[in-house]
Amino acid sequence: MGSSYIGRQPIVNERGALFAYDLFYARQRGNIHATATLINDLQSSFGIDRILGKRVGFIRADHQFIFNELLSLLPKERVVYALLEESNVDALLCDRLRKLSEEGYRFALNDFAFTPENLEKFSPIFPYLEYVKIDITRSRRIKREDVEQLKQQGLIVIGSKIESHDIHAECVSKGFSYFQGYFISKPRVLENPSFSLDQEAVMQLWNMLQCETGINELVKAFEMNHMISLKLIRFINSAVFSLRNPVSSIRHVLTLMGREPLSRWMLLLMFSEPQESDQDNIPLLLMVIHRTELMTKLLELINPNPTKAQMATAYFVGMLSLIHLLFNIPHREALKRLNVAPDIERALFEGDGFYGELLTMVRSIEILDVGAIEEFLDQHKIDYTKLEPIISETMDTVNKFDEAMG
């Protein structure tokens, strides 16, 4: 098919706040040609600002690429080149990394197994690296003192391929600074889950918006929840919406946006609510925005004239696919609070029906399952060139929210 897609996976700190993106190319095999294609896409097809927003990007680079002038095409303050484990560590590489690091280029060691052999192999280039990414699945015996030794050499340690909260907690205890993997989407289920007071209030207001509650009663209910009203108005006035004139009241918000769009932002407000005065929920909020944007854009790609109800359902399914992560409760229990229809539940859990198919496609895009993506495109007779701008625009939207949330 000749298609090219860029994927990105968040790298987060100990509290879960977004730090950087690890970038990967759909057909990447770690060679210079794949890296060159990725750089070309970052420069032209997608654009580095659209892919990274305000974050830094980690790009895989093999031994050959480090000696290629292509390396200088991207702004060095925006990227970290991550050397592959297969790299040949010799005097030439050491000298090249030394010169480039003196010029301000940044380097990491990508997803290597923490073994005595690898430590001996890569120790000559440690002085020129800023980060080491340790593949947790191949480094089970790593100890806290091992991490401390790397830190003492000026290295920032990132744990990669972390796929459970237990492993994440173990890496935290060992002193890792940053984390990458799918653990963010597989939370620990609490025995006694509860909604915060703000979340309960948002849920009540959301339910009022879904019903035939009159505007005067709605305005009164919102105004009784001062903090929520202030947060919502601040959110609406952010760069995400690009409003010509600032919104100053809930009545103005209701009049300007209408019930359905406001309902969407109310649910987003729950995801954007920080915990313990930090921005821990921002990566989850960005995941939600990514899914809802892709769901609605894919719907429009298949059906250029969708009804408002169809758009609302597509958005709602994308939103609900992650809502259990917000409350740390079983998914079906979270859905009970929203009186979700059986067909939406089937879409979420079995991938059933049209919206289940859309959600499956969104998940395929998130993990860059090229086979599944191209099967979907073939099934709906869609040219891949129509998907690329959708992925790019969605990343752009996510970046705007990231910027607006500080």
Side-chain angles (χ1 to χ4, degrees):
M1 224 178 191
S3 55
S4 63
Y5 309 107
I6 289 179
R8 65 180 192 182
Q9 190 175 64
I11 299 174
V12 301
N13 68 12
E14 180 181 335
R15 301 182 306 276
L18 183 59
F19 159 64
Y21 286 115
D22 186 18
L23 303 183
F24 49 101
Y25 182 61
R27 303 198 182 279
Q28 183 155 324
R29 293 294 181 271
N31 58 48
I32 188 171
H33 302 293
T35 308
T37 303
L38 175 59
I39 289 176
N40 179 66
D41 283 343
L42 284 171
Q43 285 188 305
S44 54
S45 302
F46 291 90
I48 191 168
D49 289 331
R50 179 166 275 181
I51 295 296
L52 294 177
K54 63 180 181 179
R55 306 297 175 176
V56 171
F58 281 67
I59 297 177
R60 292 164 179 77
D62 69 354
H63 185 281
Q64 185 182 1
F65 178 80
I66 296 299
F67 290 89
N68 196 289
E69 293 305 315
L70 287 171
L71 180 142
S72 63
L73 293 179
L74 294 177
K76 51 193 172 186
E77 68 275 5
R78 302 301 311 279
V79 297
V80 176
Y81 291 106
L83 279 76
L84 302 181
E85 192 175 27
E86 304 82 50
S87 298
N88 180 30
V89 179
D90 55 18
L92 287 175
L93 180 64
C94 290
D95 188 55
R96 175 68 170 166
L97 291 177
R98 178 185 60 78
K99 290 178 179 178
L100 289 172
S101 61
E102 288 174 353
E103 293 175 15
Y105 290 93
R106 305 166 70 186
F107 297 98
L109 182 56
N110 186 73
D111 292 357
F112 84 112
F114 189 89
T115 64
E117 294 78 14
N118 269 344
L119 285 176
E120 182 179 357
K121 172 184 176 180
F122 291 109
S123 60
I125 65 171
F126 281 169
Y128 317 119
L129 303 181
E130 189 171 346
Y131 304 92
V132 290
K133 290 176 63 181
I134 296 176
D135 183 343
I136 297 303
T137 62
R138 298 188 293 135
S139 308
R140 295 296 186 187
R141 297 180 180 177
I142 189 169
K143 301 175 182 177
R144 184 176 181 87
E145 48 264 38
D146 297 325
V147 177
E148 288 302 320
Q149 287 180 5
L150 292 173
K151 288 183 174 180
Q152 287 171 10
Q153 298 183 65
L155 297 167
I156 299 170
V157 183
I158 301 173
S160 70
K161 299 184 181 178
I162 299 174
E163 299 188 2
S164 77
H165 278 258
D166 288 335
I167 295 176
H168 172 249
E170 183 181 344
C171 289
V172 170
S173 69
K174 290 177 179 178
F176 284 69
S177 299
Y178 295 103
F179 311 87
Q180 178 184 349
Y182 295 107
F183 66 95
I184 192 171
S185 62
K186 299 177 182 178
R188 185 192 307 276
V189 176
L190 304 180
E191 293 183 2
N192 298 301
S194 62
F195 291 63
S196 72
L197 293 177
D198 270 4
Q199 289 166 345
E200 288 280 9
V202 169
M203 192 71 75
Q204 291 170 7
L205 292 170
W206 181 86
N207 282 321
M208 290 180 70
L209 286 165
Q210 301 306 297
C211 303
E212 296 301 320
T213 307
I215 187 168
N216 290 333
E217 188 176 348
L218 274 174
V219 170
K220 183 178 179 180
F222 270 97
E223 289 177 346
M224 288 178 64
N225 290 277
H226 303 291
M227 289 305 298
I228 290 176
S229 295
L230 288 172
K231 289 174 185 176
L232 183 61
I233 290 172
R234 179 172 173 266
F235 198 38
I236 296 298
N237 284 327
S238 71
V240 173
F241 298 93
S242 301
L243 299 178
R244 291 184 178 180
N245 299 307
V247 173
S248 58
S249 70
I250 291 298
R251 186 178 294 273
H252 191 182
V253 171
L254 284 166
T255 304
L256 185 68
M257 297 190 66
R259 290 172 184 259
E260 187 57 45
L262 182 56
S263 297
R264 297 180 184 182
W265 307 124
M266 286 298 294
L267 288 181
L268 280 183
L269 189 66
M270 289 196 296
F271 282 93
S272 69
E273 177 64 22
Q275 299 173 356
E276 298 178 1
S277 300
D278 207 334
Q279 296 180 319
D280 302 355
N281 273 3
I282 289 181
L284 179 56
L285 168 68
L286 300 182
M287 288 172 64
V288 171
I289 295 164
H290 187 263
R291 283 201 177 179
T292 54
E293 284 290 310
L294 282 178
M295 287 289 291
T296 53
K297 289 182 186 300
L298 287 172
L299 169 61
E300 291 177 309
L301 188 60
I302 296 170
N303 177 11
N305 297 298
T307 65
K308 289 183 178 179
Q310 290 170 329
M311 288 289 283
T313 301
Y315 186 96
F316 201 43
V317 169
M319 172 77 71
L320 294 179
S321 69
L322 292 167
I323 198 166
H324 59 300
L325 306 186
L326 177 64
F327 303 121
N328 289 320
I329 61 178
H331 207 163
R332 291 188 188 275
E333 184 173 336
L335 298 184
K336 287 180 183 178
R337 304 293 297 269
L338 296 169
N339 299 316
V340 172
D343 59 331
I344 291 183
E345 277 205 40
R346 289 194 296 273
L348 289 166
F349 295 111
E350 281 85 43
D352 190 29
F354 176 66
Y355 296 102
E357 183 184 350
L358 287 184
L359 181 59
T360 300
M361 174 59 169
V362 167
R363 287 169 170 157
S364 298
I365 292 173
E366 288 176 343
I367 63 173
L368 220 57
D369 184 341
V370 177
I373 291 171
E374 295 185 348
E375 182 180 345
F376 177 91
L377 296 177
D378 289 340
Q379 179 183 344
H380 292 281
K381 297 180 173 56
I382 298 170
D383 189 271
Y384 81 93
T385 57
K386 294 184 178 179
L387 180 63
E388 287 182 353
I390 284 177
I391 296 175
S392 181
E393 290 165 11
T394 297
M395 288 183 175
D396 195 30
T397 299
V398 170
N399 293 336
K400 287 180 180 177
F401 272 89
D402 188 15
E403 190 72 35
M405 297 307 296

